[in-house]
Amino acid sequence: MSANRLRECTSPYLQQHADNPVDWYPWGEEALARAHAEDKPILLSIGYSACHWCHVMAHESFEDPATAEVMNRLFINIKVDREERPDLDKVYQSAHQLLAQRPGGWPLTVFLTPDDQTPFFAGTYFPDEERHGLPAFMGVLQNISNAFHEQRADIKEQNKALIRAINQIDPIATGKATPLDSAPLETARQQLASGFDETHGGFGRAPKFPHPSSLEQLLRHWAATGTQDPRSLYMADFTLTRMALGGINDQLAGGFCRYSVDDRWMIPHFEKMLYDNGPLLALYADLWQATGKSLFKDTALKTAQWVIEEMQSPEGGFYSSLDADSEGEEGRFYAWSNEEVKQLLDEDEYRHVSRYYGLDQEPNFEGKWHLHCQTDIATLNHELGSTSEQARNLLEQAKLKLLAQRAHRIRPGRDEKILTTWNALMIKGLARAGRLLERPELIAAAQQAVGFIRDKLWQDQHLLASYKDGRANFNGYLDDYVNLIDALIELLQAEWNNATLQFATDLTDIILERFEDKDQGGFYFTANDHEQLIYRPKPFGDESIPAGNGVAAAVLTRLGHLLGETRYLKAAERTLHCTWDQLKQFPHAYCTLLQSLDELLNPTEIIILRGEPDTLLPWIKRAHQHYAPRRMTLAIPSATTDLPKALSVKQPAGEVVAYLCHGTHCDAPIISLEDFNSALSSTEAAAHDKSQRFDGAVGSFKRFRE
């Protein structure tokens, strides 16, 4: 029975469907063989545990015996967790785009031919009854079954065309050795600015997603152009300020939801995903370094606190997500009635909370209030007669009381599978925030997660993608390898460890061996020993997480410069050449890839510090004083031996010695902190002027610093 099949799976999402009357299979040989033997089309349903509309469709259709009877009679039904099998999701989302001529999403509903798993019809959510222009799911089932049996020849011809089309999605190198130039960096800045929401920050209209790779590119552009582009910093600052103060950020416990359903970042889709919070944590730490605004530091620390307290497993890895729903309702855990708030707070606390979070206005979420900053401290001071210190203290006291009360509610479900890619994104965020904000407990949490991955998900020189209930599953994808390499590079800057560098280079050599397209350049999403699907994706564009090819090119560039390894640098260049035409035309869709382009054209600044740990501290502090995204700082204790050749030649000398390198060129060693400061200041002089000009540019928005 279906319950036995899905209950044996590690995915919480699949287990949610274990008691459906639908005869579900997980993706695998058993289901595919049965479909082929019985000549039944496959109904493939892809979703994930925190997906609200996945729950809706499950309740309306998959839990309904009448619907299940039709599904079981007409189809072989396969349920897939897109977080465990992103390879299948990428393939069939691309097919949906071609078949439906519009973007897909979740739940994804795809009908496949039984002999070769080619999709011939695709959609997303289908209701149980016809509404909102969508057909009833029961009718879809009957029509698809009829079409499959009555129009086989037409479907076969359509499938041939689809296979041709889907294999033309990814870029193909032109064969010309076109020199790389900085034009895409400038074009991306223009394209991002053209989509910027001047009123509320972010890009485009609702639903609004954070797009951390786009915001990071704006920050990098500002740093690269000196005083010439204060507006890039403003766009990142304004967006991340509005997000920090908005309902997309949990105002009580910290942590960001997946997206906002409105333009104002007020009401989120309430699921909290690990993959959003890792990059946002790093970005808020970067923006604090760039601006010194306390809001950004506080937001980074609150996000990290939420992740460590609520999402880190006892074994050290990080869980995947929190559900949008609790007690069958989206957002119920986070919403407040005015009466409940009033009963919990004293009069002064309530007056400040009511005004600050808009409880004195109309309810903003289904007759209740979801906390969203409606004003600022200065306005509270003016209207309520409090000082800034008094207002902050009252708000903080009130938040603690509300958080304590919320702890008694039924919590949203937590997806406790541990995914390598998403953990890598969080490890990077924690390592960077810990380093820049001088919080060693964040670095320790990142190291625990790396230890978990090495212990549970690194087996026989293979990364595995997912872990749950003591079982690691699924061969790792490109994203697993390259994001973990990226995280390890960040962790090396927080605390040197030879084993960390060796792990990073082992993983790098594997992606060159198993994932690289040796003919065209770039990297496939799946390894050369992976299950063969109808299409082997080679993704370059950023989506909800950074594109695997972008991260691959970035880490190859950094490690290539650090270790003097030309193989790595050439592979990064081939990746850029593979998609150069698309990168020139739509660079804002490839922001992660732009990092590699930037650091190939303007080689990575590498600072190697050698000395005793205590004596290194002021040198490290100076290296981290300003936002310098092209800079890598590695503090290697004097006693460290067995280093790679490019690092072993940078020997200790005196108390501390600094080696400053730009790409393949290194300056003379520096043994004086004063000289070190002077050397860095010569490249940073413009940074101070940038900040001053930016402060003047934002004008009235300064009040949010309070």
Side-chain angles (χ1 to χ4, degrees), residues 296-317:
F296 300 137
K297 181 178 182 178
D298 293 344
T299 303
L301 291 175
K302 197 73 172 176
T303 303
Q305 179 184 3
W306 166 75
V307 165
I308 293 170
E309 290 182 356
E310 293 197 34
M311 302 301 286
Q312 191 161 27
S313 73
E315 297 175 285

mmCIF file of all heavy atoms in Angstrom, residues 296-317:
data_model
loop_
_atom_site.group_PDB
_atom_site.id
_atom_site.type_symbol
_atom_site.label_atom_id
_atom_site.label_comp_id
_atom_site.label_asym_id
_atom_site.label_seq_id
_atom_site.Cartn_x
_atom_site.Cartn_y
_atom_site.Cartn_z
ATOM 1 N N PHE A 296 21.496 46.842 10.899
ATOM 2 C CA PHE A 296 21.974 45.709 10.118
ATOM 3 C C PHE A 296 22.705 44.697 11.009
ATOM 4 O O PHE A 296 22.541 43.480 10.851
ATOM 5 C CB PHE A 296 22.861 46.192 8.976
ATOM 6 C CG PHE A 296 22.156 47.119 8.029
ATOM 7 C CD1 PHE A 296 22.781 48.255 7.547
ATOM 8 C CD2 PHE A 296 20.854 46.870 7.635
ATOM 9 C CE1 PHE A 296 22.121 49.118 6.684
ATOM 10 C CE2 PHE A 296 20.180 47.728 6.770
ATOM 11 C CZ PHE A 296 20.823 48.855 6.295
ATOM 12 N N LYS A 297 23.484 45.177 11.940
ATOM 13 C CA LYS A 297 24.141 44.268 12.883
ATOM 14 C C LYS A 297 23.107 43.545 13.730
ATOM 15 O O LYS A 297 23.184 42.318 13.910
ATOM 16 C CB LYS A 297 25.099 45.054 13.769
ATOM 17 C CG LYS A 297 25.848 44.195 14.777
ATOM 18 C CD LYS A 297 26.827 45.039 15.594
ATOM 19 C CE LYS A 297 27.622 44.163 16.563
ATOM 20 N NZ LYS A 297 28.603 44.964 17.337
ATOM 21 N N ASP A 298 22.128 44.289 14.252
ATOM 22 C CA ASP A 298 21.098 43.675 15.095
ATOM 23 C C ASP A 298 20.303 42.627 14.322
ATOM 24 O O ASP A 298 19.969 41.561 14.856
ATOM 25 C CB ASP A 298 20.152 44.754 15.629
ATOM 26 C CG ASP A 298 20.836 45.714 16.599
ATOM 27 O OD1 ASP A 298 21.933 45.377 17.079
ATOM 28 O OD2 ASP A 298 20.277 46.800 16.841
ATOM 29 N N THR A 299 19.994 42.931 13.059
ATOM 30 C CA THR A 299 19.224 41.990 12.244
ATOM 31 C C THR A 299 20.024 40.724 11.977
ATOM 32 O O THR A 299 19.495 39.605 12.038
ATOM 33 C CB THR A 299 18.802 42.648 10.922
ATOM 34 O OG1 THR A 299 18.057 43.840 11.202
ATOM 35 C CG2 THR A 299 17.946 41.708 10.085
ATOM 36 N N ALA A 300 21.320 40.882 11.671
ATOM 37 C CA ALA A 300 22.171 39.712 11.442
ATOM 38 C C ALA A 300 22.232 38.839 12.689
ATOM 39 O O ALA A 300 22.082 37.611 12.614
ATOM 40 C CB ALA A 300 23.569 40.160 11.031
ATOM 41 N N LEU A 301 22.434 39.454 13.837
ATOM 42 C CA LEU A 301 22.555 38.676 15.074
ATOM 43 C C LEU A 301 21.244 37.997 15.437
ATOM 44 O O LEU A 301 21.227 36.855 15.918
ATOM 45 C CB LEU A 301 23.030 39.575 16.211
ATOM 46 C CG LEU A 301 24.477 40.074 16.100
ATOM 47 C CD1 LEU A 301 24.802 41.050 17.215
ATOM 48 C CD2 LEU A 301 25.455 38.901 16.118
ATOM 49 N N LYS A 302 20.121 38.687 15.206
ATOM 50 C CA LYS A 302 18.825 38.090 15.515
ATOM 51 C C LYS A 302 18.540 36.907 14.587
ATOM 52 O O LYS A 302 18.009 35.871 15.005
ATOM 53 C CB LYS A 302 17.728 39.145 15.373
ATOM 54 C CG LYS A 302 16.419 38.780 16.047
ATOM 55 C CD LYS A 302 16.517 38.868 17.553
ATOM 56 C CE LYS A 302 15.169 38.692 18.219
ATOM 57 N NZ LYS A 302 15.263 38.684 19.690
ATOM 58 N N THR A 303 18.909 37.049 13.323
ATOM 59 C CA THR A 303 18.738 35.939 12.376
ATOM 60 C C THR A 303 19.582 34.744 12.794
ATOM 61 O O THR A 303 19.114 33.594 12.796
ATOM 62 C CB THR A 303 19.120 36.393 10.957
ATOM 63 O OG1 THR A 303 18.333 37.537 10.590
ATOM 64 C CG2 THR A 303 18.901 35.281 9.948
ATOM 65 N N ALA A 304 20.841 35.003 13.149
ATOM 66 C CA ALA A 304 21.728 33.924 13.573
ATOM 67 C C ALA A 304 21.210 33.255 14.842
ATOM 68 O O ALA A 304 21.265 32.029 14.974
ATOM 69 C CB ALA A 304 23.137 34.466 13.798
ATOM 70 N N GLN A 305 20.710 34.057 15.780
ATOM 71 C CA GLN A 305 20.174 33.497 17.029
ATOM 72 C C GLN A 305 19.001 32.569 16.742
ATOM 73 O O GLN A 305 18.908 31.474 17.305
ATOM 74 C CB GLN A 305 19.740 34.627 17.954
ATOM 75 C CG GLN A 305 19.154 34.150 19.282
ATOM 76 C CD GLN A 305 18.632 35.311 20.133
ATOM 77 O OE1 GLN A 305 18.649 36.463 19.727
ATOM 78 N NE2 GLN A 305 18.152 34.988 21.317
ATOM 79 N N TRP A 306 18.100 33.001 15.845
ATOM 80 C CA TRP A 306 16.954 32.150 15.499
ATOM 81 C C TRP A 306 17.421 30.837 14.884
ATOM 82 O O TRP A 306 16.933 29.753 15.242
ATOM 83 C CB TRP A 306 16.027 32.895 14.527
ATOM 84 C CG TRP A 306 15.043 31.970 13.894
ATOM 85 C CD1 TRP A 306 13.937 31.426 14.464
ATOM 86 C CD2 TRP A 306 15.099 31.432 12.554
ATOM 87 N NE1 TRP A 306 13.295 30.592 13.580
ATOM 88 C CE2 TRP A 306 13.985 30.578 12.408
ATOM 89 C CE3 TRP A 306 15.975 31.603 11.488
ATOM 90 C CZ2 TRP A 306 13.733 29.890 11.218
ATOM 91 C CZ3 TRP A 306 15.729 30.916 10.308
ATOM 92 C CH2 TRP A 306 14.615 30.073 10.180
ATOM 93 N N VAL A 307 18.377 30.925 13.975
ATOM 94 C CA VAL A 307 18.851 29.724 13.283
ATOM 95 C C VAL A 307 19.477 28.738 14.269
ATOM 96 O O VAL A 307 19.183 27.533 14.245
ATOM 97 C CB VAL A 307 19.866 30.119 12.186
ATOM 98 C CG1 VAL A 307 20.647 28.903 11.706
ATOM 99 C CG2 VAL A 307 19.152 30.767 11.016
ATOM 100 N N ILE A 308 20.321 29.240 15.151
ATOM 101 C CA ILE A 308 21.014 28.358 16.086
ATOM 102 C C ILE A 308 20.042 27.754 17.098
ATOM 103 O O ILE A 308 20.119 26.568 17.440
ATOM 104 C CB ILE A 308 22.155 29.116 16.778
ATOM 105 C CG1 ILE A 308 23.241 29.472 15.755
ATOM 106 C CG2 ILE A 308 22.754 28.304 17.921
ATOM 107 C CD1 ILE A 308 24.301 30.420 16.271
ATOM 108 N N GLU A 309 19.112 28.572 17.595
ATOM 109 C CA GLU A 309 18.195 28.095 18.624
ATOM 110 C C GLU A 309 17.094 27.192 18.079
ATOM 111 O O GLU A 309 16.710 26.214 18.728
ATOM 112 C CB GLU A 309 17.568 29.287 19.346
ATOM 113 C CG GLU A 309 18.552 30.059 20.222
ATOM 114 C CD GLU A 309 17.895 31.203 20.959
ATOM 115 O OE1 GLU A 309 16.679 31.444 20.734
ATOM 116 O OE2 GLU A 309 18.587 31.866 21.755
ATOM 117 N N GLU A 310 16.578 27.494 16.883
ATOM 118 C CA GLU A 310 15.412 26.767 16.384
ATOM 119 C C GLU A 310 15.702 25.789 15.261
ATOM 120 O O GLU A 310 14.920 24.872 15.027
ATOM 121 C CB GLU A 310 14.331 27.758 15.927
ATOM 122 C CG GLU A 310 13.705 28.562 17.040
ATOM 123 C CD GLU A 310 12.387 29.202 16.617
ATOM 124 O OE1 GLU A 310 11.660 28.585 15.818
ATOM 125 O OE2 GLU A 310 12.114 30.320 17.066
ATOM 126 N N MET A 311 16.824 25.974 14.551
ATOM 127 C CA MET A 311 17.029 25.194 13.338
ATOM 128 C C MET A 311 18.255 24.289 13.378
ATOM 129 O O MET A 311 18.438 23.471 12.478
ATOM 130 C CB MET A 311 17.144 26.134 12.127
ATOM 131 C CG MET A 311 15.940 27.043 11.927
ATOM 132 S SD MET A 311 14.382 26.150 11.681
ATOM 133 C CE MET A 311 14.601 25.555 9.999
ATOM 134 N N GLN A 312 19.127 24.426 14.382
ATOM 135 C CA GLN A 312 20.306 23.556 14.438
ATOM 136 C C GLN A 312 19.983 22.291 15.218
ATOM 137 O O GLN A 312 19.503 22.349 16.350
ATOM 138 C CB GLN A 312 21.501 24.284 15.049
ATOM 139 C CG GLN A 312 22.804 23.501 14.889
ATOM 140 C CD GLN A 312 24.044 24.345 15.060
ATOM 141 O OE1 GLN A 312 24.028 25.359 15.762
ATOM 142 N NE2 GLN A 312 25.131 23.951 14.419
ATOM 143 N N SER A 313 20.269 21.153 14.608
ATOM 144 C CA SER A 313 19.985 19.862 15.239
ATOM 145 C C SER A 313 21.005 19.576 16.334
ATOM 146 O O SER A 313 22.106 20.145 16.345
ATOM 147 C CB SER A 313 20.038 18.755 14.186
ATOM 148 O OG SER A 313 21.387 18.500 13.811
ATOM 149 N N PRO A 314 20.697 18.692 17.254
ATOM 150 C CA PRO A 314 21.682 18.298 18.276
ATOM 151 C C PRO A 314 22.969 17.748 17.677
ATOM 152 O O PRO A 314 24.037 17.847 18.283
ATOM 153 C CB PRO A 314 20.948 17.228 19.088
ATOM 154 C CG PRO A 314 19.493 17.526 18.883
ATOM 155 C CD PRO A 314 19.386 18.053 17.484
ATOM 156 N N GLU A 315 22.893 17.181 16.466
ATOM 157 C CA GLU A 315 24.081 16.635 15.813
ATOM 158 C C GLU A 315 24.923 17.705 15.131
ATOM 159 O O GLU A 315 26.052 17.429 14.738
ATOM 160 C CB GLU A 315 23.670 15.583 14.782
ATOM 161 C CG GLU A 315 22.979 14.371 15.385
ATOM 162 C CD GLU A 315 22.476 13.421 14.318
ATOM 163 O OE1 GLU A 315 21.454 13.740 13.672
ATOM 164 O OE2 GLU A 315 23.092 12.360 14.128
ATOM 165 N N GLY A 316 24.370 18.909 14.954
ATOM 166 C CA GLY A 316 25.151 19.999 14.383
ATOM 167 C C GLY A 316 24.662 20.524 13.054
ATOM 168 O O GLY A 316 24.942 21.668 12.698
ATOM 169 N N GLY A 317 23.975 19.699 12.270
ATOM 170 C CA GLY A 317 23.435 20.170 10.998
ATOM 171 C C GLY A 317 22.195 21.016 11.203
ATOM 172 O O GLY A 317 21.582 21.025 12.278
#
